[in-house]
């Protein structure tokens, strides 16, 4: 069965610090990978997605993620965080041709102004 | 607003009562999903519809839960004889579907259920 692991449950950073959130998945075949963000009081929104091609994908608000197939990882990065990035971040996986999106437990990011 | 719409946004009910939630997906999205999210957890899959057909139900979905999508448009999720453990945020999502299409799920704002 597919599963997604996010090892950082809570992260606190100061503004302008660099961010990297880990995501590992367990699935032997081809997968689609996603990062979603949930700002306080808002719905889940897509940050970025990977289906195929360049393993370095860029999303909204300066976020990027790198797919490393050999490590089953899809880590999220941002060079310089802002206070407005305070939110909960979820990694998700979906196998092409299937329909379920499997989510990790999330990482709560707090950025101090 | 053309996003996924869920109603009500909040529901407080007494244990043992039945509740029903509604989800209106993005127009023309064939796929519709229900998820449940509790504090400190990511969304957990409950069930999936492709048009009006319910193609999968999670083992999380006990026989007190039922979901419908009668005309392939909006969907309802009913919980009968609610228990305190049912307290959670119930999320609906939709996505388009087509042969060979990879796509993401678009989420609604959820219905927060509190069972007292």
């Amino acid at each position: 069965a597919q599963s997604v692991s996010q090892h950082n449950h809570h992260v606190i950073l100061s503004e302008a610090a660099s961010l990297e959130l880990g995501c590992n998945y367990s699935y032997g075949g081809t997968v689609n990978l996603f990062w979603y963000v949930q700002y306080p009081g808002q719905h889940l929104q897509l940050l970025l997605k990977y289906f195929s091609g360049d393993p370095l994908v860029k999303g909204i608000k300066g976020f990027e993620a790198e797919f490393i197939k050999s490590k089953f990882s899809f880590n999220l990065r941002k060079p310089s965080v802002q206070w407005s990035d305070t939110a909960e971040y979820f990694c998700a996986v979906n196998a092409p041709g299937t329909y379920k999106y499997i989510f990790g437990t999330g990482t709560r990011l707090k950025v101090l102004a | 607003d053309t996003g996924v719409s869920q109603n009500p946004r909040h529901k407080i009910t007494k244990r043992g009562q039945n509740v029903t939630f509604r989800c209106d997906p993005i127009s023309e999205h064939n796929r519709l999903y229900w998820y449940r999210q509790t504090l400190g957890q990511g969304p957990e899959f409950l069930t999936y519809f492709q048009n009006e057909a319910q193609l999968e139900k999670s083992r999380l979905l006990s026989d007190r839960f039922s979901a419908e999508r009668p005309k392939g448009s909006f969907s309802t999720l009913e919980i009968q004889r609610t228990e305190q453990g049912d307290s959670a945020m119930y999320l609906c999502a939709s996505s388009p579907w087509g042969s060979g299409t990879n796509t993401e799920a678009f989420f609604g704002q959820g219905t927060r259920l509190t069972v007292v």
Side-chain angles (χ1 to χ4, degrees), chain B:
Chain B
D1 189 336
T2 56
V4 177
S5 176
Q6 291 189 247
N7 287 289
R9 293 288 307 280
H10 304 274
K11 178 72 177 178
I12 300 174
T13 190
K14 291 184 178 178
R15 190 175 51 187
Q17 298 294 304
N18 299 343
V19 294
T20 300
F21 310 140
R22 177 178 170 127
C23 171
D24 288 89
I26 293 172
S27 179
E28 299 179 355
H29 277 192
N30 308 81
R31 294 177 166 179
L32 186 145
Y33 313 79
W34 285 98
Y35 281 80
R36 181 172 67 187
Q37 187 176 17
T38 53
L39 200 62
Q41 299 296 319
E44 297 173 293
F45 173 79
L46 293 179
T47 191
Y48 160 73
F49 288 86
Q50 187 167 297
N51 298 312
E52 66 275 8
Q54 187 175 21
L55 297 186
E56 184 170 349
K57 289 173 60 172
S58 164
R59 279 171 286 183
L60 291 174
L61 218 62
S62 76
D63 56 6
R64 296 185 296 106
F65 288 70
S66 62
E68 295 183 340
R69 194 182 183 198
K71 296 182 181 178
S73 56
F74 74 92
S75 175
T76 57
L77 177 68
E78 181 183 17
I79 309 174
Q80 296 182 324
R81 305 181 303 281
T82 52
E83 301 172 357
Q84 287 188 319
D86 298 330
S87 295
M89 178 75 85
Y90 289 85
L91 300 172
C92 179
S94 68
S95 68
W97 175 80
S99 177
T101 297
N102 295 315
T103 185
E104 69 269 25
F106 295 80
F107 282 83
Q109 292 193 294
T111 295
R112 183 169 294 283
L113 172 66
T114 302
V115 181
V116 297

Side-chain angles (χ1 to χ4, degrees), chain A residues 52-72:
Chain A
S52 64
D54 188 343
L56 185 62
V57 293
K58 295 192 183 299
I60 60 172
K61 305 188 181 187
F63 286 91
E64 64 179 32
E66 185 175 13
F67 169 53
I68 303 179
K69 188 174 182 178
S70 61
K71 294 185 178 180
F72 298 89

Side-chain angles (χ1 to χ4, degrees), chain A residues 33-36 45-50 57-60 63-65 74 76-77:
Chain A
L33 296 157
F34 309 86
W35 276 97
Y36 281 84
Q45 302 170 43
L46 184 72
L47 264 183
L48 48 78
K49 59 191 177 188
Y50 173 79
V57 293
K58 295 192 183 299
I60 60 172
F63 286 91
E64 64 179 32
F74 190 56
L76 181 71
R77 299 194 293 248

Side-chain angles (χ1 to χ4, degrees), chain A residues 57-107:
Chain A
V57 293
K58 295 192 183 299
I60 60 172
K61 305 188 181 187
F63 286 91
E64 64 179 32
E66 185 175 13
F67 169 53
I68 303 179
K69 188 174 182 178
S70 61
K71 294 185 178 180
F72 298 89
S73 70
F74 190 56
N75 291 354
L76 181 71
R77 299 194 293 248
K78 186 170 183 178
S80 175
V81 295
Q82 301 174 313
W83 177 80
S84 58
D85 293 324
T86 294
E88 193 157 15
Y89 293 80
F90 294 94
C91 182
V93 64
N94 160 256
T98 68
Y99 32 82
K100 277 191 294 190
Y101 298 83
I102 307 299
F103 286 81
T105 52
T107 297

